[in-house]
Amino acid sequence: MMLQSIPAGFARPVYESQGTFRAILEAMSRPGSLVPLPVQADGPRGWSGGMASVVLTLCDMDTPVWLDAQAATDDARRFLRFHCACPLTDAPAKASFAVVLSHALMPSLDVLSLGSSEYPEQSTTVLLATDFDAAPGESISVMGPGVDGEERLPLSWLPPGFVADWRGNGRLFPRGVDLILVGQAHVVGLPRTLKMEDRPCM
């Protein structure tokens, strides 16, 4: 395997991963808010710079990673093994992180790791590629810890049928899956505590 064939990842790994982690923390503490990423890493072909940055920041040798069919290229596997040393799994229920590049390939949340009552943190976090520049169209009301009253989330950011799946996920609390929507240069956090309701815009 030629090292030249592996994308460089972060130019300054410690500094850039710390900045990216702070952005992720902000996104998860302010659910539904668009948070800029400080850097776009050099990642596998077909991955946005934002997704490469988030994966490099969160994934390591202790976090099994599941890739959807679009993400699971040979280039991506080499990239993850070289930069993150993370184990790759074909079983979504065993994944600490799931990388989903296509909304059409988003698995049902109940096939992922949901954690346990004793260890709810041992659940899957989904890293879902999202085009934040797409026409927003219809939106859904979101509320919960970290949301200032009530906000609106464009449905174009979410896979078809996701809202019903998310409500089922919420009923499992404290167990359940968390999501991070990842664009080219921004992230949006969807922690399991976030509620989605069909309410008209005021």
Side-chain angles (χ1 to χ4, degrees), residues 83-130:
H83 286 289
C84 306
C86 55
L88 300 176
T89 179
D90 292 328
K94 295 182 179 179
S96 297
F97 294 99
V99 178
V100 181
L101 296 189
S102 170
H103 281 199
L105 298 175
M106 175 72 187
S108 174
L109 298 181
D110 61 7
V111 306
L112 301 166
S113 175
L114 301 173
S116 65
S117 298
E118 295 79 10
Y119 302 102
E121 72 280 2
Q122 294 180 353
S123 61
T124 303
T125 297
V126 178
L127 310 177
L128 177 64
T130 299

Side-chain angles (χ1 to χ4, degrees), residues 36-171:
L37 290 167
V39 65
Q40 299 173 35
D42 181 20
R45 185 180 307 171
W47 290 39
S48 71
M51 182 63 79
S53 293
V54 170
V55 167
L56 287 171
T57 299
L58 296 179
C59 301
D60 58 32
M61 64 182 67
D62 296 320
T63 59
V65 175
W66 178 84
L67 306 172
D68 77 358
Q70 184 171 324
T73 63
D74 290 340
D75 286 346
R77 292 177 184 276
R78 285 194 294 267
F79 177 83
L80 291 171
R81 289 183 177 124
F82 180 76
H83 286 289
C84 306
C86 55
L88 300 176
T89 179
D90 292 328
K94 295 182 179 179
S96 297
F97 294 99
V99 178
V100 181
L101 296 189
S102 170
H103 281 199
L105 298 175
M106 175 72 187
S108 174
L109 298 181
D110 61 7
V111 306
L112 301 166
S113 175
L114 301 173
S116 65
S117 298
E118 295 79 10
Y119 302 102
E121 72 280 2
Q122 294 180 353
S123 61
T124 303
T125 297
V126 178
L127 310 177
L128 177 64
T130 299
D131 181 6
F132 295 124
D133 294 325
E138 297 182 17
S139 64
I140 192 163
S141 174
V142 296
M143 62 202 76
V147 180
D148 185 11
E150 183 177 322
E151 299 288 346
R152 305 293 301 186
L153 192 72
L155 289 175
S156 62
W157 294 0
L158 306 171
F162 177 81
V163 173
D165 205 10
W166 185 254
R167 288 172 180 157
N169 184 64
R171 288 192 286 270

